[in-house]
């Protein structure tokens, strides 16, 4: 998989059998944060953080991180979600929302410094996330304009496998935005207290 960094900081994935694609890391972070919030114990109960991305978590962490506490919240809950999903389903040779190919994860991690420097402009987004009061992940992603109608329609093709512990996203992962959207939306196939892990096979 060949990666090219564009001037706006997005990543273009080199041509392969599914064509070139662009991943917007701001968008990817937002997807991860919304899924992480919907999976907390006061909502879908997929991982054992409780309102950490809600107003309660913000109030606690703001004491130690007055400017960047939203990102401290996000990193913490995303780490817990990643760990929980790894327990539910071993995704060897596959991409999940939390575990993309190493080159993409390295590029994503490199964005944190810029996000922290621009923390103020992210406040409205995190306020919207803190206001999520329903475990309806699809509704949350739609309300925050992170997925398109076509993404929601395509969700019908995401089917549970592996004893209900995972859902297979059609096609292979090659950096396509539509597949990344399904890696987020696919969590909606889980039930309260019973997460499923959406995954896509990684192409060479």
């Amino acid at each position: 998989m060949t990666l090219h960094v564009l001037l706006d900081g997005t990543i273009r994935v080199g041509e392969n059998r599914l064509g070139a694609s662009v991943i917007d890391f701001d968008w990817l972070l937002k997807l991860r944060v919304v899924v992480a919030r919907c999976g907390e114990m006061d909502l879908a109960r997929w991982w054992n953080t409780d309102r950490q991305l809600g107003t309660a978590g913000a109030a606690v962490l703001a004491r130690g991180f007055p400017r960047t506490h939203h990102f401290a919240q996000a990193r913490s809950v995303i780490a817990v979600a990643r760990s929980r999903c790894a327990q539910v389903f071993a995704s060897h040779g596959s991409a999940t929302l939390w575990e993309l190919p190493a080159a993409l994860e390295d590029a994503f991690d490199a964005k944190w410094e810029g996000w922290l420097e621009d923390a103020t402009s992210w406040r409205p987004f995190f306020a919207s996330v803190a206001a999520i009061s329903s475990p309806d992940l699809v509704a949350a992603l739609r309300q925050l304009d992170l997925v398109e109608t076509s993404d929601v329609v395509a969700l019908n093709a995401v089917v549970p496998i592996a004893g209900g512990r995972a859902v297979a996203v059609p096609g292979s992962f090659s950096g396509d935005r539509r597949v990344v959207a399904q890696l987020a939306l696919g969590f909606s196939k889980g039930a309260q207290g019973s997460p499923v892990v959406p995954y896509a096979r990684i192409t060479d």
Side-chain angles (χ1 to χ4, degrees), residues 44-102:
R45 305 197 309 272
W46 293 333
W47 26 86
N48 65 355
T49 60
D50 190 7
R51 297 179 176 86
Q52 193 164 323
L53 279 165
T55 53
V60 172
L61 287 177
R63 300 169 191 166
F65 305 90
R67 191 177 65 85
T68 62
H69 62 278
H70 293 306
F71 292 96
Q73 293 170 260
R75 294 188 86 156
S76 175
V77 183
I78 287 171
V80 173
R82 177 184 291 118
S83 176
R84 174 61 177 144
C85 288
Q87 293 172 352
V88 172
F89 176 72
S91 58
H92 304 302
S94 301
T96 72
L97 181 65
W98 319 114
E99 294 287 349
L100 299 178

Side-chain angles (χ1 to χ4, degrees), residues 3-202:
L3 304 178
H4 307 282
V5 180
L6 305 183
L7 293 178
D8 61 359
T10 57
I11 296 293
R12 180 170 294 278
V13 182
E15 291 283 352
N16 54 35
R17 65 186 184 87
L18 292 181
S21 177
V22 171
I23 290 185
D24 179 338
F25 287 117
D26 288 2
W27 172 72
L28 176 59
L29 175 61
K30 290 177 180 180
L31 285 182
R32 287 178 167 180
V33 169
V34 172
V35 174
R37 171 64 188 126
C38 286
E40 292 202 271
M41 290 300 290
D42 61 312
L43 297 178
R45 305 197 309 272
W46 293 333
W47 26 86
N48 65 355
T49 60
D50 190 7
R51 297 179 176 86
Q52 193 164 323
L53 279 165
T55 53
V60 172
L61 287 177
R63 300 169 191 166
F65 305 90
R67 191 177 65 85
T68 62
H69 62 278
H70 293 306
F71 292 96
Q73 293 170 260
R75 294 188 86 156
S76 175
V77 183
I78 287 171
V80 173
R82 177 184 291 118
S83 176
R84 174 61 177 144
C85 288
Q87 293 172 352
V88 172
F89 176 72
S91 58
H92 304 302
S94 301
T96 72
L97 181 65
W98 319 114
E99 294 287 349
L100 299 178
L104 288 175
E105 289 295 342
D106 289 345
F108 177 83
D109 287 343
K111 297 284 287 183
W112 282 101
E113 183 176 350
W115 288 328
L116 292 173
E117 291 176 354
D118 192 31
T120 301
S121 69
W122 281 80
R123 288 178 183 171
F125 167 72
F126 281 106
S128 297
V129 170
I132 295 173
S133 58
S134 165
D136 188 338
L137 173 61
V138 175
L141 291 170
R142 289 289 287 145
Q143 183 176 357
L144 291 172
D145 199 26
L146 295 176
V147 296
E148 301 172 358
T149 300
S150 59
D151 296 322
V152 177
V153 172
L155 183 61
N156 294 326
V158 177
V159 295
I161 65 161
R165 293 177 290 112
V167 291
V169 172
S172 300
F173 182 84
S174 62
D176 189 281
R177 180 210 163 278
R178 292 167 297 177
V179 174
V180 176
Q182 294 305 308
L183 292 177
L185 284 164
F187 278 96
S188 67
K189 298 290 186 175
Q192 283 208 348
S194 300
V196 296
V197 182
Y199 74 93
R201 294 296 180 191
I202 296 174

